[in-house]
Amino acid sequence: QKEVEQNSGPLSVPEGAIASLNCTYSDRGSQSFFWYRQYSGKSPELIMFIYSNGDKEDGRFTAQLNKASQYVSLLIRDSQPSDSATYLCAVNPFSGGYNKLIFGAGTRLAVHP
Amino acid sequence: DTGVSQDPRHKITKRGQNVTFRCDPISEHNRLYWYRQTLGQGPEFLTYFQNEAQLEKSRLLSDRFSAERPKGSFSTLEIQRTEQGDSAMYLCASSLALSYEQYFGPGTRLTVT
């Protein structure tokens, strides 16, 4: 089992729709969770982080965390073509002493006009 | 620009040569991380510094790889006797001591021919 799993996609959504990206993790002691956006050929850009169970909203983005189910998600409302990118889920595992991030392979999102 | 910077941005080298990359973190960040990313995968953790101390190294970091952060500011990553399998994007990230949010530089793309 991979430590952080994501559906590779592509996830295709029409402009203006809600994109829902999901991630599961294996280390139950993990404490912090991150979503990065990565455009092709570029480096990852931090867009959201969440530490507590529940929802956290920032503009068009909402991160959701359920530690009991070991599940993190990212919702993007009013999706725009400029949101087309790979979204990486990252976890700060307890086994790593919270000193590193373990990344999933990413979900490719395509927003079409 | 006060973000993480990396140099060079691209490096092409022949197999067997040594290469060195540099990372300058965000100025007030005392934690510095190196990751490696290959096509279609998320970044993989290589090593981590707090100030000048290298506190963790991944099993991925063979004895051909060495990293330093001599004065707790910039860091260098050296790969000796490069192999074609070393071809990847090498990413540097930094964070504040009491924060788990890591910010990435633009990366150095290494191609070993």
Side-chain angles (χ1 to χ4, degrees), chain A residues 2 32 34 36 38 41-46 49 51 88 92 95-106, chain B residues 9 31 33 35 37 40-45 48 50 55-56 89 91 99-107 109:
Chain A
K2 291 183 180 178
S32 47
F34 305 85
Y36 286 82
Q38 187 171 31
K42 302 295 186 183
S43 64
E45 174 194 5
L46 180 63
F49 55 88
Y51 298 151
L88 298 164
N92 230 188
S95 61
Y98 310 122
N99 291 327
K100 61 186 176 188
L101 294 178
I102 304 297
F103 284 83
Chain B
R9 296 289 301 276
R31 291 186 172 191
Y33 311 79
Y35 292 82
Q37 186 176 24
Q41 300 299 315
E44 294 176 294
F45 171 79
Y48 150 67
Q50 179 155 317
L55 297 184
E56 187 172 352
M89 174 81 87
L91 294 161
S99 168
Y100 299 120
E101 299 129 46
Q102 297 181 23
Y103 297 89
F104 283 85
R109 183 166 295 285

Side-chain angles (χ1 to χ4, degrees), chain A residues 23-41:
Chain A
C23 170
T24 57
Y25 61 94
S26 61
D27 187 327
R28 186 171 288 278
S30 299
Q31 292 294 321
S32 47
F33 307 86
F34 305 85
W35 285 99
Y36 286 82
R37 177 175 62 199
Q38 187 171 31
Y39 293 111
S40 180

Side-chain angles (χ1 to χ4, degrees), chain A residues 3-106:
Chain A
E3 293 184 76
V4 179
E5 297 209 49
Q6 298 181 253
N7 188 319
S8 62
L11 174 65
S12 182
V13 300
E15 185 174 356
I18 296 175
S20 177
L21 304 160
N22 305 314
C23 170
T24 57
Y25 61 94
S26 61
D27 187 327
R28 186 171 288 278
S30 299
Q31 292 294 321
S32 47
F33 307 86
F34 305 85
W35 285 99
Y36 286 82
R37 177 175 62 199
Q38 187 171 31
Y39 293 111
S40 180
K42 302 295 186 183
S43 64
E45 174 194 5
L46 180 63
I47 53 172
M48 287 287 296
F49 55 88
I50 186 166
Y51 298 151
S52 303
N53 275 329
D55 294 359
K56 179 182 178 183
E57 188 174 319
D58 183 0
R60 295 187 296 114
F61 299 97
T62 299
Q64 300 175 316
L65 174 60
N66 183 327
K67 288 186 178 181
S69 299
Q70 295 174 244
Y71 178 90
V72 194
S73 65
L74 179 70
L75 301 178
I76 306 174
R77 288 181 299 282
D78 188 26
S79 295
Q80 300 298 308
S82 58
D83 294 326
S84 298
T86 296
Y87 288 80
L88 298 164
C89 173
V91 172
N92 230 188
F94 171 77
S95 61
Y98 310 122
N99 291 327
K100 61 186 176 188
L101 294 178
I102 304 297
F103 284 83

Side-chain angles (χ1 to χ4, degrees), chain B:
Chain B
D1 185 13
T2 57
V4 179
S5 62
Q6 292 187 246
D7 185 70
R9 296 289 301 276
H10 302 273
K11 179 71 176 179
I12 300 173
T13 191
K14 293 184 188 292
R15 189 178 55 184
Q17 298 295 304
N18 299 343
V19 294
T20 300
F21 310 140
R22 177 179 169 125
C23 171
D24 287 86
I26 295 171
S27 59
E28 64 269 27
H29 287 187
N30 62 350
R31 291 186 172 191
L32 187 148
Y33 311 79
W34 286 97
Y35 292 82
R36 179 173 67 188
Q37 186 176 24
T38 53
L39 196 63
Q41 300 299 315
E44 294 176 294
F45 171 79
L46 293 178
T47 190
Y48 150 67
F49 291 85
Q50 179 155 317
N51 299 312
E52 65 275 10
Q54 187 174 19
L55 297 184
E56 187 172 352
K57 291 170 60 172
S58 165
R59 290 189 298 273
L60 293 174
L61 216 63
S62 77
D63 56 7
R64 295 186 298 108
F65 288 70
S66 63
E68 294 183 340
R69 195 182 181 198
K71 297 183 180 179
S73 56
F74 72 92
S75 175
T76 58
L77 177 69
E78 181 183 18
I79 309 174
Q80 296 182 328
R81 305 181 304 281
T82 52
E83 301 172 356
Q84 286 188 321
D86 297 331
S87 295
M89 174 81 87
Y90 288 84
L91 294 161
C92 176
S94 69
S95 72
L96 289 167
L98 298 180
S99 168
Y100 299 120
E101 299 129 46
Q102 297 181 23
Y103 297 89
F104 283 85
T108 294
R109 183 166 295 285
L110 173 65
T111 302
V112 182
T113 61

